[in-house]
Amino acid sequence: MAAQIIDGKAISEQVNRETAVLAAELMQKHGARPGIAVILVGDDPASRVYVNSKEKKAAELGFRSDKVVLAATATQAEVLAEVARLNRDPGIHGILVQSPPPKHIDERVIIEALDPRKDVDCFHPYNVGKMLIGDQDGFLPCTPWGVMVLLERSGISPAGKHAVIIGRSNIVGKPIAALLMQKAKGADATVTICHSRTPDIAAFCRQADILVAAIGKPEFVKGDMVKPGAVVIDVGINRIADPAARNGSRLCGDVVFREVAEKASWITPVPGGVGPMTIAMLMRNTLRACQMSLNLPVV
Ligand code: GUN
């Protein structure tokens, strides 16, 4: 069986087109322009790439976008001062502090200093709690929400399915589990989380109707770990050496794509699967934050 591709690029473009229309409407009816600020501490090359693509997408959608770049030596107090300034700025509806910050910065303290109404990453404990109890009027974390939208728009219902998630990070594994198990339309799955201390992860994976790989290990999931007909969502983005590639390396996910695509019914590619959805949902959260700031119904 050759799997159908879940085209994250096409689905994210669809979401972004809808966001652009809603943003134009917001401007026309209320004179409001969604604004996002991204704080980058240090010069990690991968983080710089992510931050630049967020800035580019915000501009494409007609949003205000501020980039705040602080030196790798910036103190915690300096980062907190920027957060406080952006919390007060009425033209900024969403604030994102690019993760991970340098080691001397306590990320938890920074996240808890964010105004929860501007926490478009959904990292603040207040928003994480709202997400967990299924509160509809908060934010959803961008990558997990992106995964749910990929499933929904591909016509895949998780209801009654066994979803197995590999990885228990606060950004991906834990929130995807929470969203998939929610008593709600587009959810209602039975969820298992596997992690570094799980014995025989492969045995769990083989029971999955929906397998989510979010472990950060290149090509961890092999063909023989997948049940025939499973839906496979690959959240990994890894760069590995490849002598055959022009620059000596290539991007790959947490899944051996070629092997797994032979057995799965649906699969996300890397790149072009989950990746573009994260930014699309970040922009949608920023639009929602702007709508909430005006006491408008959120969409
Ligand atoms: N680093 C990797 N992914 C993310 C994300 O979604 N948000 C933030 N703030 N940092 C990240």
Side-chain angles (χ1 to χ4, degrees):
M1 182 192 304
Q4 295 194 67
I5 301 293
I6 299 179
D7 187 346
K9 189 163 178 291
I11 295 175
S12 68
E13 282 166 5
Q14 195 181 60
V15 171
N16 285 328
R17 277 195 299 274
E18 293 163 9
T19 303
V21 169
L22 292 164
E25 229 174 74
L26 204 54
M27 173 58 92
Q28 210 173 32
K29 291 192 186 153
H30 303 279
R33 183 180 182 207
I36 180 164
V38 180
I39 302 177
L40 173 65
V41 188
D43 45 19
D44 174 63
S47 291
R48 198 169 276 273
V49 171
Y50 288 136
V51 165
N52 288 343
S53 39
K54 285 164 188 167
E55 219 191 357
K56 187 162 158 257
K57 188 56 69 188
E60 273 173 35
L61 298 181
F63 289 12
R64 171 180 160 190
S65 139
D66 291 10
K67 183 164 76 174
V68 179
V69 182
L70 299 175
T73 52
T75 63
Q76 176 127 324
E78 284 167 334
V79 182
L80 286 172
E82 284 300 324
V83 170
R85 178 179 68 76
L86 294 164
N87 276 345
R88 287 191 303 269
D89 184 337
I92 290 294
H93 306 97
I95 305 170
L96 178 148
V97 184
Q98 186 63 33
S99 183
K103 293 222 165 9
H104 65 279
I105 304 284
D106 186 340
E107 193 172 13
R108 276 212 305 203
V109 173
I110 306 294
I111 288 168
E112 288 185 28
L114 290 169
D115 181 335
R117 293 168 299 186
K118 298 192 178 190
D119 168 37
V120 284
D121 258 329
C122 192
F123 286 178
H124 191 289
Y126 175 80
N127 288 318
V128 175
K130 279 171 81 81
M131 185 244 344
L132 190 62
I133 61 176
D135 197 325
Q136 300 289 313
D137 65 5
F139 299 111
L140 294 181
C142 304
T143 301
W145 190 15
V147 169
M148 300 305 283
V149 172
L150 284 179
L151 294 173
E152 185 193 334
R153 297 202 181 195
S154 303
I156 300 161
S157 168
K161 306 267 172 63
H162 184 197
V164 175
I165 297 158
I166 319 171
R168 55 175 159 184
S169 72
N170 287 333
I171 296 188
V172 183
K174 283 183 200 167
I176 287 184
L179 295 182
L180 280 167
M181 76 171 75
Q182 226 35 257
K183 186 171 182 166
K185 192 167 167 284
D188 284 325
T190 301
V191 175
T192 299
I193 300 198
C194 299
H195 49 73
S196 52
R197 303 298 296 269
T198 303
D200 201 357
I201 289 183
F204 285 97
C205 291
R206 281 192 282 268
Q207 295 175 34
D209 302 309
I210 298 174
L211 181 61
V212 181
I215 195 175
K217 288 192 178 164
E219 300 187 330
F220 178 84
V221 177
K222 315 281 191 280
D224 65 1
M225 293 165 69
V226 175
K227 178 161 95 173
V231 174
V232 178
I233 306 290
D234 189 351
V235 187
I237 302 180
N238 311 287
R239 185 164 285 284
I240 55 167
D242 180 358
R246 211 161 4 128
N247 61 356
S249 72
R250 67 178 168 92
L251 281 183
C252 72
D254 291 353
V255 169
V256 183
F257 183 84
R258 273 216 250 179
E259 281 180 28
V260 173
E262 285 299 311
K263 294 185 79 178
S265 58
W266 291 88
I267 188 168
T268 60
V270 176
V274 175
M277 294 304 292
T278 299
I279 296 187
M281 304 332 291
L282 174 69
M283 297 303 144
R284 185 55 72 94
N285 269 343
T286 305
L287 176 91
R288 285 170 65 94
C290 183
Q291 290 167 329
M292 287 188 244
S293 76
L294 299 166
N295 291 318
L296 295 170
V298 289
V299 285

